[in-house]
Amino acid sequence: MNQSKIWDAYSKSYHNIEKNPAGFQFSLLNMLRVNEADEILDAGCAGGHLHQYILQQRKKDCRLTAFDFSLEMTKIAAARMIKYLNNPFNSQIEDISDQEIENVDLNSPLLEQNKYKVFQGDVQSLPQLNDNQFDIYISNLVLQLVANKDQALQEAFRVLKPGGKIGIVIPVVLGNVPMLSLQKCFIQAGLIPNAAYKPTELENREGLINFIYKHGFKEIVCWNQTIPFDLFDIDDNYIFPQFREILDKASKEQVDQFYSLYKSEVQNRLNLNLPFTVEALSLIAKKPL
């Protein structure tokens, strides 16, 4: 299955858990000062969980543009914003029906009137976007998934205005307790032979800072952050798409063994009065004038 189809299939589960990384995103948006921008780009927006917040914080005439590799994710983001914009004071944007998502118009006049645009796109090639267009480029939990990271940063640099800011969040594999716990249970159940996820060169401050410098950005600020995950019981929403594919092909015996191990892993964590936590490395930087 190709990557876009994997994330299409995972879109509704991701929609349910997307709130967890909000701690990273709120910190990033605060450091970027989104309230001062005229044009904001959310590159790899998933279901647009924080777009409501950005719309509330932005300047009156600021335009928010967003895209995702998965068409299903963009449809969720658009449906979510249409529901919010139709009734901003009494709207449960989480309660979006499958029909609303399936039938959503990505080019809805309501979205355009509110200076909001979402489309399917690839961070590695953005012919839809102009040079020097945006004040802020947001890359939240995206860059680690991209095949050609250099090309993605070149595109980010191109579409940012001189003096524009990029904001990046990279998950740290060795600090991702839910992922490590799932991986451990998969190995013990015989579903994978060994650790599938290794740290990348971007998961330490020096590596990430050097990578951003290499692509021409300046005035870099970088920090680590850890947040809790609301994982208190076995929940299929937290089985990431790469693992879901493996489970779908496994024998019933192996699947049952995995869920038994997973349940014990969750309970053992709770017995220690500890939440499942996720660590990320965040960074902001400027395109020189």
Side-chain angles (χ1 to χ4, degrees), residues 91-155:
S91 175
Q92 295 297 318
I93 60 174
E94 304 299 334
D95 299 328
I96 305 169
S97 70
D98 289 345
Q99 185 175 12
E100 286 175 304
I101 294 169
E102 183 58 34
N103 297 330
V104 71
D105 178 7
L106 295 182
N107 298 305
S108 163
L110 179 65
L111 299 179
E112 179 56 34
Q113 289 162 16
N114 285 275
K115 300 185 181 298
Y116 178 86
K117 172 71 175 176
V118 63
F119 64 93
Q120 184 180 21
D122 184 345
V123 294
Q124 299 164 111
S125 178
L126 294 167
Q128 308 93 329
L129 303 178
N130 298 326
D131 294 357
N132 306 317
Q133 183 175 348
F134 296 96
D135 300 286
I136 289 175
Y137 178 108
I138 299 167
S139 175
N140 180 59
L141 304 174
V142 173
L143 193 57
Q144 78 281 357
L145 302 170
V146 177
N148 192 329
K149 296 174 177 58
D150 290 297
Q151 194 168 313
L153 260 290
Q154 288 165 15
E155 280 292 81

